[in-house]
Each structure stands twice: as C-alpha cells, then as structure tokens.
Amino acid sequence: MSYEVIGITVLWTFLYGYLIVASIDFGAGFFSYYSTITKKNHLINKVIVRYLSPVWEVTNVFLVFFFIGIVGFFPSTAYYYGTTLLIPGSIAIVLLAIRGSYYAFHHYGEKGNNFYQALYGATGLLIPASLSVVLTISEGGFIYKYEDSVWLDYGALFTSFYSWAVVILALVSVLYISAYFLAYYAKTAQDEKAFDVLRKYALNWSLPTILASVLVFFALSDHNPEHFDKMLELSWMFSLSFLFFLGAVYLMWKKKHLGVAFILVMLQFATAFFGYGASHMPYLLYPYLTIYDGFTNEAMAVALITAFIAGLCLLIPSLYLLMRLFLFDNKYVQGKK
Amino acid sequence: MFEYDPVFLSRILTGITLAVHVIFATVGVGVPLMIALAEWMGIKRNDEHYRLLARRWARGFVITVAIGVVTGTAIGLQLSLLWPNFMQMAGHVISLPLFMETFAFFFEAIFLGIYLYTWDRFKKKIYHFFILIPVALGAMASGFFITTVNGFMNAPRGFDLENGVLTNIRPLEAMFNPATPTKVAHVLSSAYLTTAFVLAAIAAFAILRGKDHVYHKKALHLTMTAAAIFAISTAIIGDFSGKYLAKYQPEKLAAAEWHFETSTEAPLILGGVLQENNEVKYALEIPYALSILAHGTPDAEVIGLEEFPEEELPPLIVHYFFDLMVGIGMFLAFVSILYVLFAKVRKWNEWNKPLLWAIVAGGPLSLLAIEMGWFFAELGRQPWLLVGYMTVEQGATTSEHVDLMIVLFVLLYIVLCTTCATVLRKMFKNNPVEKELHDRGME
C-alpha cells in the first residue's frame, strides 16, 4: 500500500469512528429532549445520561483528529476546503461549541434546565446536517477555481437535490444508529420500560434510513455519474450493507441479541461508508484534488504514521478501560455503581 | 466606510478566539496538577478535607474543560479556514505535533471521563489518584505539542526552500526548533503559576468573607506554596526566554524594550511614553538590566531596532504588553513568597487582610498576564506568520465574509463565557463547602 492510501484509510477509519460515536451522542441528545417534551423522559433519561456523561468529550476528539489529520497528510485540502468553507465551517464550529458546552452546563452544572437541554438536543441534529455538506462538496460541482482563487457556489449548493438528499440521510442515520445503541444499552441495564420506548424509535427509523440511502444513490447518479459508476463496481459492498440492515431490523423486531443487532448496524454503515469512500478515490475533491497531488512529503508521512501507531498503542488500552468501566460493566449500566 | 480586508479581519478573529481559548487552555493545563496535589495530600495525610478540595476543584474544572475543548476545536478549524495558505505550507512541515496534540488530548479526555465517575468506585483510594496521572500528563503534553507549533512559527526549522519548493523535510527538527525549549517551559510553568493563583484567590476570598473553616486555610496554604515554587521557576525560565530572543529574534526583544540603537550596557526600560523621534519619556530605567537579560553580563551588546528594515518591525505597543506581563509576574512572585514567609514565622499572621487582598488580586491579574504574554508573543512576531518565510498577509484567506464571522464568534464567546460564569457561581453557591462537609458527614 502506498503512503497515500494508508493515510486516507487511517483518516477515513477515524471519520467512521466519529460517525458511529457522534451519531449515538447526537441522537441521544435529541431523544433525551424529545422524551422530555413528550413526558417520557422518566423512562429513558437515566439510561441516556449514564451512557453519555463519561464519554461526551471523547466523541469530539474523533472529529478534531480527522480534520487535523487530513491537513497533515494532505496539506492542499487546507487550501481548497479552508478557503471555501469559511461560512459552513464556522457554523459547524458554533454548533459544536454550543452543544459541547451546554451539555456540560446541563449535566455538571444546572441539572434539569430545559433551555440548555433544548440547545444541545437541537444542535445534535444540525451538526450532522452541516458536517455532511463537506462530503457533498467533495463530489464536485460546487467549488470553482479560476487562476489563483477558489470559491463556493452557495446557490448551486442550496438548490442541489443531491445536497439535500445527503442532509436527510445524515439526520435519519443519526437517529437510527443512536436508537439501536440505546435500545441495546437499556436492555443491558434491564430497564424494560426504557427499552420498549427506544425499540420503537429504532424500528421507526429503520425504513426511513434505507429510503434515504436509496435517495442518495439516485441523486448521485445524476450529480456525479463518474463516481456513481465506480460505486456500481463495488456494489457487493452495498449489497452486504443491505443484508446487515435486514439482520439488525430482524433482531430488534424479535428483541433478541441486541448487542449483535448493534454490531450489524455498525457493519451496515462500515460497508456502505467504506464502499462510498473507496469509490470516491482517488479524488479528495472532484475534479481538482486527488490523494496523489495533495499529498505531504515522505518524511512527514512516515512520521505521522509512526505517531499514529504509537498513539493507538496508548489509546486502545485506555478506550478498553473506559468501556470496561462504563459500557460493559453491568453493575454500572444497571445503576448499581 | 472601511474597506474589506480579509487579512486584518482574519487576524482579529484569530486573536479573539485565542484570547478566549488561552484562558481555558491555561486553566486546563494547570488544574489537573493542582487536583492531583490535593488528592495526594488527602490520601497521604488521610485528610478528607484535601480530598473534598480535589473533588470540588474537579467539579468546576469540567465546566472550564468544556469551554476549552470547544474553543480549541474552533481554533483548530479556524487555522485552516482563516489561514489556508499557511496551513498548506505548515502541513508539510509541522503537522506532526498538531497531530500528536489530538492524541494527547484524546488520552486526557478518556481518563478525565473515568476520573470524574469513579470517586468511590475503587476500594483503594490511591487507584483513583492513579487515574488522574494520565489526565495531568495528557494536559501537559497537549500544551507541549501545541507550543512547539508556535515555536516553529517563531523559529522555522526542519526544511529547505529551493525555488519556492519545500524539500528535505525533517519533522522532528521542525518540532524541536530553537524556540521550543524556552517557550514550552514558560507556557507550562506560567500555566501552573496562574492556576495556583486563581485557586488561591478563591480560598483567600472565602477567608476574607469571614469563613473560618480550616478547609479554606488548607486550600490557601496548598495553592500558595505551589504558587511560590512556580513563580520562582517562571522567573528563571523568563530569564532564559530573554536570552533566546536576544539570540534568535533580537528584533522582538528590541521592540519589547524600545531599544532602538545597538549598544552595550543596555538599560531595561519600564513603562514610559514614546515621543515622535523615538525618544522615551517618563520611563523607569534600570541600568545594565537589558544586557543582563539578553546575554547575562552587564556590558554585553544588545542589537537595536535600527538594524532591521522598517517594514519588518513589530508594532512598538508590545512594550506595554511585555512590561505588564513581567510586572504582574514579579507581583505574583512577591506575594506568594511573602505568604510562605508569613506562614513559616509563627509570630506573623499569614491571614492578615492586606496579604489576602493581594492574593485575591493575583487571581485575575495572573490571567491578565497570560493574555499579555500571548499578545506580546503574537504581535511581536509581526509582520511574519512564519518568521523569515511567510508574512501574515501571504498566509491569510482571500475569502469574503470574515467580518460576518467575527460577529458570529464574538456573540458565541460572550454567550459561552457568561453562561460558564453563571453556572460556576451557582454550582458553588448552592453547595458551599460547609454544607458539603456536613452532608458528607465529615463534621
């Protein structure tokens, strides 16, 4: 494997990690708020709070890791995306900032402040919508280059069918992934009432998820036919993804093996996400930037990959400890600790 | 009306974000160490007061960490959004420490999460203390890595420039550039000093308001002792920083000192007003002091501003930033050493009102010194973004709407800081020490 491919694989894996943990986090924030206004919060809030509190900060780091990493491995991305994404990027920062800090204010500071809760519940849905814009833009057709300047065509972006399809998929997936995880967590906590509510959420969001995915496929075939053709070559990955989806829904329906059901959800998104990513190669930005012409020098690539491996040696045991103590410690999950 | 100037506006926005972030970042580096000290004392002396101290500090800390995280994310993204050309170049040379900083923070975040939720989960109390070590180390490492990047901007190393193309890149040399040792040491030591003073100010204020529980006195003693140690180390490191500047960035030192003509036996100028013909009025001059600061001997030659082309000179206002930083540093050292002395001598009362008020003043003053230090560091580097290679003008975005983004972020920071202050106030007001001591059955 070339350094370029290793680099993008590492980054894409972290983005996938962010997709999963952030979805759980964003969705949980939304469900927590939604259940408060529908007066079901006494059923599921405890589950959500127990899961979210120890891990919220970790989620954010996945994202920071991705955008610092991509500038490290592919410095030219800073030029193209940095110059053009000032407004959407700033809006995403503001949303992330509000969410992160009001989460802390709500949980460590003033418990039960509805306004704070509403803020992080709402931002949880707006953040994925605003971040998904970056993936949309990478398909080309929105960024233009003329001599030494690049700019983003907002008119095209806001009127594009494809960009709205991606936003819908982002929102729906967040709720879907989150509901599956929380349902599993509630079951482990032996909180049957919370489980019933969350299972309903999970099943309700299953069909919309698959419909939104189909919509994105359809929109992409129109927006970027070249990329779409390459996706068809990898159609086995997307078919596999669909099978994982069916398995997850089946298990949730039958209320069996919910841990496995959640793993299937993760696999469903892994296959689709990596299938999308692989077919996107070698472009980082259609048609201006590929992983080969935007790549850093060899010395830096070796240094970054070494740092990455060393970092993982430190992080994996720590993450394992975190999970042992909070996610998979049944006594903790059940609220006995 | 004003003409739209993305370079100037990008500087303003970056400056605002950093001014907010640096407060929370400083506290973020310093507080874990102070919590560790308190918990360690609590376990070693089997004194629940110290453990409660650690607990309460940790509780407030999470709130400030949250703002530190989000403003840190903001600056991380703004680097690419506002300085895309700089990041494109820097990405080739200095992205290693940026990348490692996220790892350090990752590490810290994981263990902070564990620490907060495991106060009574281990049979042996010392295990809980062990969990804090990676938090403090992670915070320190974050400060280290990010400061090396700032060092690189001041003393770029680790690459060759051939016909506008970067070649022969050496990431480690870039990271361990000549500015790194003094800068990192200064940032860490002053962060610990500032945090100790902020926490001491809280304790001193409680005592001044008539709270006479021994808990507050223990808190004051612990923080002021730590402050005295870090004040001394900061002063020593400050001296090294002066020598670094004299050798590698003489124009920065000369601007800080309004030192116009190269001369030996140079005096240190405090305060003053600059006249039209570069004459300094109303200033306090300490003879030989600048020569000593720069080279360690009173007769050493210090390079003056005259030796640099005018368009490469930093703004002379940095003199005031520098003086304020140093002045406050001296004040903090004086107050903390005085406290330690008063505490040592039995006949003297370390809780006398003037001393306590001086400590209270030291809290906000130390934060001001941090701001001044960074303003000096950043403005003193002007017009360069990467000294000798890239000016801020070349590094900035050409994008429109930076002005609008300034409004957006100023609003954001106002909201975040106000809520942070309110939440912290309520948190400690609704649950005062005396009440918590009682509730936990320690009284």
Side-chain angles (χ1 to χ4, degrees):
Chain A
M1 252 205 279
S2 63
Y3 288 132
E4 287 88 345
V5 176
I6 295 177
I8 195 70
T9 310
V10 163
L11 294 172
W12 200 243
T13 308
F14 262 79
L15 198 59
Y16 169 73
Y18 182 69
L19 175 99
I20 298 293
V21 290
S23 290
I24 294 173
D25 184 46
F26 293 150
F30 176 77
F31 287 135
S32 158
Y33 179 64
Y34 178 74
S35 64
T36 307
I37 52 177
T38 54
K39 304 263 185 301
K40 282 184 182 155
N41 53 327
H42 56 286
L43 297 178
I44 66 168
N45 250 5
K46 219 172 76 195
V47 170
I48 290 174
V49 169
R50 275 193 93 70
Y51 161 71
L52 278 186
S53 303
V55 298
W56 74 271
E57 257 187 279
V58 175
T59 312
N60 208 36
V61 192
F62 275 95
L63 180 67
V64 178
F65 190 97
F66 176 77
F67 69 69
I68 292 294
I70 199 157
V71 174
F73 279 108
F74 306 100
S76 295
T77 52
Y79 171 68
Y80 282 98
Y81 286 107
T83 311
T84 50
L85 291 183
L86 179 66
I87 294 179
S90 297
I91 291 173
I93 299 173
V94 170
L95 292 172
L96 282 168
I98 291 177
R99 187 184 160 76
S101 42
Y102 280 85
Y103 179 80
F105 296 156
H106 179 68
H107 280 277
Y108 305 116
E110 290 176 58
K111 293 205 169 66
N113 185 322
N114 275 350
F115 174 66
Y116 292 179
Q117 201 185 14
L119 270 182
Y120 80 76
T123 46
L125 291 187
L126 294 172
I127 293 167
S130 73
L131 292 179
S132 69
V133 169
V134 182
L135 286 182
T136 305
I137 289 172
S138 74
E139 293 294 341
F142 304 108
I143 284 184
Y144 292 98
K145 189 179 179 187
Y146 180 72
E147 285 178 356
D148 261 354
S149 61
V150 283
W151 68 92
L152 178 63
D153 182 350
Y154 286 97
L157 184 64
F158 284 111
T159 53
S160 153
F161 175 52
Y162 177 68
S163 77
W164 288 108
V166 172
V167 167
I168 292 171
L169 178 62
L171 292 184
V172 175
S173 318
V174 160
L175 296 172
Y176 169 79
I177 295 173
S178 184
Y180 268 78
F181 178 79
L182 292 171
Y184 153 67
Y185 200 72
K187 188 80 178 173
T188 318
Q190 296 172 353
D191 190 337
E192 289 299 326
K193 280 182 191 152
F195 171 70
D196 285 339
V197 176
L198 289 162
R199 173 173 170 267
K200 224 172 269 165
Y201 290 158
L203 291 173
N204 282 346
W205 287 108
S206 297
L207 190 63
T209 302
I210 222 67
L211 289 180
S213 315
V214 174
L215 195 69
V216 167
F217 270 102
F218 180 66
L220 186 67
S221 71
D222 190 46
H223 183 81
N224 186 344
E226 187 189 341
H227 184 186
F228 184 73
D229 288 342
K230 279 206 242 154
M231 272 167 96
L232 290 183
E233 285 166 28
L234 289 173
S235 55
W236 62 272
M237 288 186 88
F238 298 98
S239 314
L240 209 57
S241 173
F242 186 67
L243 290 179
F244 289 133
F245 165 78
L246 291 180
V249 174
Y250 175 78
L251 291 177
M252 185 56 75
W253 182 259
K254 288 280 173 197
K255 304 186 188 179
K256 274 193 295 198
H257 308 296
L258 295 171
V260 180
F262 181 67
I263 290 173
L264 288 177
V265 168
M266 283 175 68
L267 288 173
Q268 174 198 339
F269 277 85
T271 42
F273 193 71
F274 280 90
Y276 169 84
S279 59
H280 202 296
M281 287 297 100
Y283 287 101
L284 289 168
L285 172 64
Y286 275 96
Y288 298 114
L289 191 62
T290 69
I291 55 170
Y292 299 104
D293 43 45
F295 196 61
T296 189
N297 56 89
E298 196 180 311
M300 185 53 82
V302 173
L304 288 177
I305 292 167
T306 315
F308 176 75
I309 292 168
L312 278 192
C313 294
L314 208 62
L315 285 186
I316 289 174
S318 326
L319 275 174
Y320 173 74
L321 186 67
L322 183 73
M323 291 194 180
R324 265 285 306 270
L325 285 170
F326 296 107
L327 295 189
F328 303 120
D329 182 330
N330 281 342
K331 275 190 189 155
Y332 174 81
V333 175
Q334 288 162 18
K336 288 178 189 156
K337 264 187 186 169
Chain B
M1 283 303 283
F2 298 108
E3 204 181 319
Y4 178 81
D5 175 10
V7 179
F8 180 68
L9 292 170
S10 295
R11 284 181 60 192
I12 301 267
L13 180 50
T14 312
I16 295 170
T17 302
L18 279 176
V20 177
H21 177 63
V22 76
I23 295 289
F24 294 95
T26 301
V27 172
V29 170
V31 173
L33 185 77
M34 297 307 297
I35 299 177
L37 278 178
E39 193 170 7
W40 172 249
M41 295 277 280
I43 294 168
K44 225 182 103 192
R45 297 193 180 173
N46 199 16
D47 185 336
E48 282 298 313
H49 288 153
Y50 284 106
R51 284 192 84 221
L52 183 63
L53 196 58
R55 221 185 249 262
R56 288 174 69 88
W57 282 346
R59 230 180 276 151
F61 179 59
V62 215
I63 304 286
T64 62
V65 165
I67 312 239
V69 172
V70 299
T71 51
T73 312
I75 190 65
L77 265 168
Q78 278 178 355
L79 280 179
S80 292
L81 295 175
L82 297 173
W83 309 99
N85 301 315
F86 166 65
M87 285 304 276
Q88 187 177 12
M89 180 186 175
H92 283 284
V93 192
I94 196 69
S95 52
L96 180 66
L98 277 173
F99 191 65
M100 280 157 71
E101 199 263 350
T102 56
F103 269 113
F105 184 70
F106 212 146
F107 192 58
E108 181 191 345
I110 291 172
F111 281 92
L112 183 62
I114 297 176
Y115 181 78
L116 291 173
Y117 287 86
T118 49
W119 274 99
D120 300 306
R121 227 172 132 176
F122 301 109
K123 278 194 194 93
K124 283 193 178 162
K125 285 174 185 167
I126 195 82
Y127 286 176
H128 188 244
F129 171 79
F130 288 151
I131 290 181
L132 194 57
I133 294 174
V135 179
L137 283 180
M140 200 174 131
S142 292
F144 167 76
F145 288 129
I146 216 66
T147 310
T148 65
V149 179
N150 189 268
F152 173 78
M153 292 159 75
N154 283 279
R157 294 290 187 279
F159 62 92
D160 298 331
L161 197 62
E162 280 169 22
N163 309 321
V165 181
L166 296 169
T167 55
N168 188 20
I169 284 161
R170 305 172 299 274
L172 285 177
E173 202 182 315
M175 201 171 139
F176 293 97
N177 57 73
T180 289
T182 45
K183 232 178 214 306
V184 168
H186 187 64
V187 162
L188 291 180
S189 176
S190 60
Y192 295 135
L193 170 62
T194 302
T195 311
F197 248 95
V198 169
L199 296 173
I202 296 170
F205 192 65
I207 298 172
L208 276 170
R209 284 183 53 198
K211 300 195 173 183
D212 53 359
H213 198 282
V214 65
Y215 170 93
H216 302 291
K217 290 179 178 168
K218 283 177 181 168
L220 185 70
H221 194 76
L222 177 68
T223 48
M224 282 317 281
T225 313
I229 295 166
F230 291 124
I232 294 168
S233 69
T234 308
I236 295 170
I237 294 161
D239 184 59
F240 282 120
S241 302
K243 291 176 177 50
Y244 156 79
L245 283 179
K247 188 167 177 198
Y248 293 96
Q249 289 179 282
E251 72 280 14
K252 199 171 183 176
L253 185 65
E257 277 306 321
W258 285 351
H259 184 64
F260 292 96
E261 286 154 31
T262 302
S263 61
T264 54
E265 301 175 3
L268 197 74
I269 296 173
L270 293 178
V273 180
L274 201 57
Q275 304 292 311
E276 262 176 36
N277 51 350
N278 286 343
E279 237 176 84
V280 182
K281 267 197 175 170
Y282 316 117
L284 188 66
E285 278 194 24
I286 308 176
Y288 309 117
L290 181 57
S291 285
I292 296 175
L293 175 66
H295 300 287
T297 50
D299 57 350
E301 185 182 79
V302 183
I303 298 173
L305 289 171
E306 59 178 3
E307 302 200 10
F308 301 92
E310 199 151 324
E311 66 277 8
E312 285 182 17
L313 290 185
L316 293 176
I317 191 175
V318 294
H319 174 61
Y320 295 117
F321 299 149
F322 182 77
D323 277 6
L324 260 172
M325 171 185 79
V326 175
I328 293 172
M330 294 291 171
F331 172 77
L332 298 179
F334 177 72
V335 170
S336 54
I337 292 169
L338 204 64
Y339 171 89
V340 172
L341 208 68
F342 267 66
K344 274 263 182 304
V345 180
R346 278 220 189 135
K347 271 190 233 161
W348 295 348
N349 173 18
E350 70 262 42
W351 303 299
N352 69 65
K353 275 201 175 163
L355 186 58
L356 287 179
W357 276 116
I359 295 170
V360 172
L365 279 178
S366 61
L367 291 173
L368 180 68
I370 294 284
E371 294 285 0
M372 290 300 110
W374 279 108
F375 274 102
F376 166 58
E378 300 304 286
L379 282 177
R381 200 187 56 241
Q382 300 303 321
W384 298 109
L385 182 50
L386 201 55
V387 173
Y389 293 94
M390 184 186 266
T391 61
V392 286
E393 206 165 334
Q394 294 162 335
T397 182
T398 49
S399 173
E400 284 171 46
H401 310 301
V402 181
D403 43 359
L404 213 72
M405 295 303 110
I406 293 182
V407 177
L408 182 72
F409 278 101
V410 167
L411 283 177
L412 173 74
Y413 299 142
I414 291 176
V415 170
L416 287 187
C417 292
T418 340
T419 329
C420 175
T422 335
V423 168
L424 282 175
R425 242 177 68 95
K426 270 198 189 166
M427 190 182 212
F428 290 104
K429 224 179 170 178
N430 293 345
N431 187 14
V433 176
E434 289 73 15
K435 181 168 169 282
E436 196 170 354
L437 283 165
H438 182 77
D439 291 349
R440 291 187 182 276
M442 293 177 190
E443 294 298 272

